Amino acid sequence: MNYSVVVVDDHFLLSQAIGGLVQKFDNFDVLYLCKNGKELLDKFEDPKNIPDLVLMDIKMPILNGIETAEKLKKDYPDVKVLALSIEEDEYTILKMLRAGAKGYLMKDTKKDILEKALLEVMLKGQYYTNNVSKILMESIEKNIDTEIKDKELEFIKLACTDMSYKEIANAMFCSYKTVEGYRDSLYKKLGIKNRIGLMLFAIQHNIFTP
Amino acid sequence: MNYSVVVVDDHFLLSQAIGGLVQKFDNFDVLYLCKNGKELLDKFEDPKNIPDLVLMDIKMPILNGIETAEKLKKDYPDVKVLALSIEEDEYTILKMLRAGAKGYLMKDTKKDILEKALLEVMLKGQYYTNNVSKILMESIEKNIDTEIKDKELEFIKLACTDMSYKEIANAMFCSYKTVEGYRDSLYKKLGIKNRIGLMLFAIQHNIFTP
DNA sequence: CAAAAAAAGGGGGATTTCCCCCTTTTTTTA
DNA sequence: TAAAAAAAGGGGGAAATCCCCCTTTTTTTG
């Protein structure tokens, strides 16, 4: 009996391609494809649509990968989730793993690595590439008390631009004072003292890639 | 008759190793090794010490590669200069080429590339690796009127640090107002409006590598 | 060598950033 | 559901940054 897999990705071409690959693997069958998390959860209403493993993008419209993974962890804890994304920053990857993903693959992963990852997740419960393991290790070493909120992450990315805080507030649809709040809280918890320090932090943690 | 080569580098181990490589090449002989530009120019007093080609580091004590190349261009225009350095920024490479170097090689260049470069410089007058050609092309496209001075370059590198301008002035042994002058002139000629913009520029042009 | 250009230094004001400490609203959690 | 925590917003002052315009000294160049 093969393991059943569902691919969730808003880029239909990509999910089709990946579905095609998975279908060819010996121990796996593709059950169906979805365009976002909402569609997936709707499908799950019918128990025969619940797969062994979900291969899911992070950035998706309506219900994104992290939110979907959290719901799956709560309501369908037996379904394994494997994240599949291009170039996310360290904190997003970390959040996806905290949300219950058993591993994280780059979209340009070679097909035998994909097969290996699928198998390991089904057999051993998880699969981490070198990169991801490194991020995990570092996050354990350094960031015990430094969890960065979504809005703060968004702010950091804009702060790596030559925009003033006033302009950033505009872009984030919030008040200037709120933006100052994000900045102050980040400066405090990251132990930095100015915007250049924030930018250096962002580069070092792949939040911003120049 | 083989071409004669002199290697100039303050790291004696390295210049010995490179000298050894060059000696083995079919068309080249090593005349002698030098530790800096001053030593080289002293040697040149005796005409039989003047080689066909000088393979020279940029960062050296007493007389550096750029200054030496300028003197050679003036007093010994027939001697070809090939720069040999690790990870310099775009503007330093450009300055070395303006000073008369016929090409620029990374220190970790493979030995057949080194041989190829030496031959091409002797036969065709120049050798540019892909990287260097790209920098040259870009400098022609964009930076016609933007030449960055030494002190400005030094300032940019420090501005990519979380130091305040006061601290930078201290580090550069000059007044705070002078540093402000460097900044203002850079902002004007690069068309940027704040320190983040300067940092982005520095990263894009390999002046600062995070 | 004289004129021109560049480097170094400065004054002063407008703006932005930094760093506290505070209130109200929303969200979490026990 | 009540208490606690977090998010959002704000006041205000000190410091840093930005942006002019100016003088003196040094260097370059015709």
Side-chain angles (χ1 to χ4, degrees):
Chain A
M1 179 65 178
N2 279 0
Y3 296 117
S4 56
V5 176
V6 171
V7 181
V8 190
D9 196 318
D10 56 319
H11 300 92
F12 191 58
L13 210 67
L14 203 75
S15 59
Q16 266 191 320
I18 291 166
L21 280 180
V22 174
Q23 187 61 54
K24 280 191 201 145
F25 294 157
D26 281 347
N27 303 96
F28 296 92
D29 284 327
V30 175
L31 214 53
Y32 52 89
L33 309 175
C34 282
K35 283 204 286 295
N36 61 63
K38 175 76 169 50
E39 225 178 275
L40 181 76
L41 292 174
D42 288 349
K43 275 279 192 183
F44 275 29
E45 310 255 304
D46 183 346
K48 73 171 192 291
N49 282 335
I50 298 177
D52 298 309
L53 190 147
V54 173
L55 203 52
M56 182 161 56
D57 191 15
I58 295 182
K59 258 188 217 154
M60 287 183 301
I62 306 174
L63 199 63
N64 70 37
I66 292 165
E67 293 161 335
T68 311
E70 271 161 0
K71 282 191 204 300
L72 291 181
K73 184 166 74 170
K74 198 161 136 260
D75 299 334
Y76 309 92
D78 293 338
V79 177
K80 315 277 190 199
V81 174
L82 195 52
L84 185 73
S85 199
I86 358 163
E87 269 214 295
E88 298 294 341
D89 64 77
E90 178 172 318
Y91 282 92
T92 305
I93 296 175
L94 227 47
K95 211 145 76 194
M96 189 70 191
L97 296 177
R98 275 200 213 100
K102 307 300 181 191
Y104 176 95
L105 294 175
M106 298 286 173
K107 267 183 182 163
D108 59 354
T109 301
K110 298 266 184 300
K111 81 165 186 287
D112 42 336
I113 297 289
L114 175 62
E115 186 170 14
K116 192 178 164 200
L118 288 172
L119 261 178
E120 288 212 7
V121 167
M122 289 317 305
L123 299 176
K124 302 186 189 168
Q126 59 181 50
Y127 176 83
Y128 296 137
T129 56
N130 290 344
N131 274 343
V132 173
S133 312
K134 208 175 125 214
I135 289 173
L136 279 172
M137 295 296 288
E138 279 174 5
S139 83
I140 290 165
E141 276 173 27
K142 299 181 304 186
N143 309 326
I144 296 148
D145 56 343
T146 57
E147 198 184 341
I148 291 182
K149 316 287 174 205
D150 277 16
K151 297 269 189 167
E152 287 172 348
L153 206 58
E154 192 189 343
F155 163 74
I156 296 179
K157 286 173 186 176
L158 291 169
C160 292
T161 288
D162 66 357
M163 290 165 100
S164 73
Y165 293 139
K166 216 175 281 180
E167 290 170 321
I168 292 176
N170 235 37
M172 289 181 73
F173 302 107
C174 68
S175 102
Y176 169 68
K177 274 296 173 181
T178 305
V179 165
E180 285 207 304
Y182 296 147
R183 180 201 56 201
D184 291 354
S185 112
L186 282 168
Y187 281 14
K188 194 176 249 177
K189 68 175 145 192
L190 302 178
I192 54 184
K193 58 183 178 185
N194 57 35
R195 201 165 155 178
I196 298 290
L198 183 62
M199 189 158 172
L200 292 169
F201 174 87
I203 291 170
Q204 276 160 14
H205 293 78
N206 293 311
I207 294 168
F208 169 69
T209 319
Chain B
M1 181 62 179
N2 278 1
Y3 296 117
S4 54
V5 176
V6 170
V7 181
V8 189
D9 196 318
D10 57 320
H11 300 91
F12 191 57
L13 209 68
L14 203 78
S15 59
Q16 266 191 319
I18 291 167
L21 279 180
V22 173
Q23 187 61 52
K24 280 191 201 143
F25 294 156
D26 281 346
N27 303 96
F28 296 92
D29 284 326
V30 175
L31 213 53
Y32 52 90
L33 309 177
C34 283
K35 283 202 287 294
N36 60 62
K38 176 74 169 48
E39 224 178 275
L40 181 75
L41 292 175
D42 287 348
K43 275 278 194 183
F44 275 30
E45 309 254 305
D46 182 348
K48 74 171 191 293
N49 281 336
I50 299 178
D52 296 310
L53 191 148
V54 172
L55 203 53
M56 182 161 56
D57 192 15
I58 294 182
K59 259 189 216 153
M60 288 183 300
I62 306 173
L63 200 63
N64 71 37
I66 292 165
E67 294 160 335
T68 312
E70 272 162 0
K71 281 192 205 299
L72 290 181
K73 185 166 71 168
K74 198 160 137 259
D75 298 334
Y76 308 92
D78 292 338
V79 177
K80 316 276 189 199
V81 174
L82 195 52
L84 185 73
S85 200
I86 359 164
E87 270 213 297
E88 297 294 341
D89 64 76
E90 180 171 316
Y91 283 92
T92 305
I93 295 174
L94 227 47
K95 209 144 79 192
M96 190 69 191
L97 296 178
R98 276 200 213 99
K102 307 300 182 192
Y104 175 95
L105 295 175
M106 297 287 172
K107 268 183 183 165
D108 58 355
T109 301
K110 299 265 183 301
K111 82 167 186 285
D112 42 337
I113 298 288
L114 175 62
E115 186 171 13
K116 192 178 166 201
L118 288 173
L119 260 178
E120 288 213 5
V121 167
M122 289 316 305
L123 298 176
K124 301 186 189 166
Q126 59 182 49
Y127 178 83
Y128 296 136
T129 56
N130 290 344
N131 273 342
V132 173
S133 312
K134 208 175 126 215
I135 290 174
L136 278 172
M137 295 296 288
E138 280 174 4
S139 83
I140 289 165
E141 275 173 27
K142 299 183 302 188
N143 309 326
I144 297 149
D145 57 344
T146 57
E147 198 185 340
I148 292 182
K149 316 287 174 205
D150 276 15
K151 297 269 186 166
E152 287 173 348
L153 206 58
E154 190 188 344
F155 163 74
I156 296 178
K157 286 173 185 175
L158 291 169
C160 291
T161 290
D162 66 357
M163 290 166 99
S164 72
Y165 293 140
K166 217 176 280 180
E167 290 171 319
I168 292 176
N170 236 36
M172 290 181 74
F173 303 106
C174 68
S175 102
Y176 170 68
K177 273 297 174 182
T178 304
V179 165
E180 285 207 303
Y182 296 147
R183 180 201 56 203
D184 292 353
S185 110
L186 282 168
Y187 282 14
K188 192 174 250 178
K189 70 175 140 188
L190 302 178
I192 53 185
K193 58 183 176 184
N194 56 35
R195 203 164 151 179
I196 298 290
L198 183 62
M199 190 158 169
L200 291 169
F201 175 87
I203 291 170
Q204 277 160 14
H205 293 78
N206 293 311
I207 293 169
F208 169 68
T209 319

